[in-house]
Amino acid sequence: RYDGPVTTENNSIFEPDGRAIPYVDEMSEGDGPVLVLIPGRGLEGGALGSVAHILAGEGIRVLRIGNRAADDATLDERVQDASDVMDHVGIGATWIGGHGVGGTVARALSAKRTDRALGVLLLGVEDVDVPIAPSVPILIIQGSADDVMPPANGEKLRDSAKERASVVTIEGGGHLFPVSDPVDTAFAIEDYLAWD
């Protein structure tokens, strides 16, 4: 159990053009850096909640952007949703990441809106042909026992961008390693980004 500083969590729904996009804005004390996280599935169960809470306790503001209620949005629609929520809460260029399919959304958002991405964080990597913004650093965190998005996917992506991609492995972590190993996951993020 993590017993870091108290943070403020704001659960909201943003409804541009009739789209209901859930998001959680977890503010840290002070004016620390910002990280956008996109879960593979909606916010139900708080798939990235523990990781976000730990990071917020370390002084990082974490904006988690979920899926529309029907969960049938296309990749382009999810990219637009994430960009719209970032505008809505006043977040400019920052690190953008996600778990599984959410990481694919982060990759696509970084490529479409290069002004938005200072870097891309991928928690598990889908084997898809989706670009990442040129020149931004890429942090790949993967579970060594992930049978849904195996470590080979992350290695393949790293090999395609060796000069800017790094891989951290959570030993024994399955596909849901951000849920089963939130402390290791959060500290790997914080250590890489030197946000301590």
Side-chain angles (χ1 to χ4, degrees):
R1 185 170 182 272
Y2 176 77
D3 293 316
V6 175
T7 60
T8 303
E9 187 174 295
N10 178 12
N11 297 294
S12 302
I13 295 180
F14 180 48
E15 299 185 75
D17 307 318
R19 296 173 283 148
I21 310 162
Y23 69 93
V24 177
D25 195 357
E26 195 151 2
M27 307 275 221
S28 63
E29 296 173 352
D31 294 326
V34 179
L35 172 64
V36 172
L37 285 178
I38 304 167
R41 298 278 174 217
L43 293 178
E44 60 276 2
L48 297 174
S50 294
V51 170
H53 184 71
I54 293 166
L55 290 171
E58 294 297 315
I60 299 166
R61 177 182 177 187
V62 181
L63 175 67
R64 287 182 284 144
I65 303 172
N67 303 313
R68 301 175 192 187
D71 198 20
D72 60 357
T74 66
L75 177 61
D76 286 341
E77 289 170 335
R78 289 197 66 194
V79 165
Q80 188 62 52
D81 289 351
S83 183
D84 288 347
V85 172
M86 289 173 70
D87 284 340
H88 175 67
V89 299
I91 293 176
T94 191
W95 272 77
I96 303 168
H99 177 244
V101 177
T104 301
V105 175
R107 288 165 70 171
L109 176 56
S110 77
K112 181 176 182 179
R113 294 288 310 273
T114 57
D115 60 314
R116 287 276 192 208
L118 298 178
V120 176
L121 165 66
L122 303 173
L123 304 171
V125 176
E126 271 196 302
D127 188 13
V128 292
D129 186 20
V130 173
I132 294 176
S135 304
V136 300
I138 307 160
L139 173 60
I140 299 164
I141 302 177
Q142 55 194 19
S144 66
D146 188 341
D147 59 354
V148 177
M149 295 177 189
N153 294 358
E155 304 296 332
K156 178 181 172 184
L157 181 60
R158 184 199 57 207
D159 290 347
S160 73
K162 285 185 179 181
E163 71 288 351
R164 59 193 177 109
S166 299
V167 175
V168 174
T169 301
I170 304 295
E171 290 302 326
H175 182 59
L176 296 178
F177 68 86
V179 176
S180 62
D181 300 285
V183 173
D184 289 344
T185 303
F187 287 163
I189 295 167
E190 183 186 14
D191 286 348
Y192 179 84
L193 300 175
W195 283 345
D196 55 1

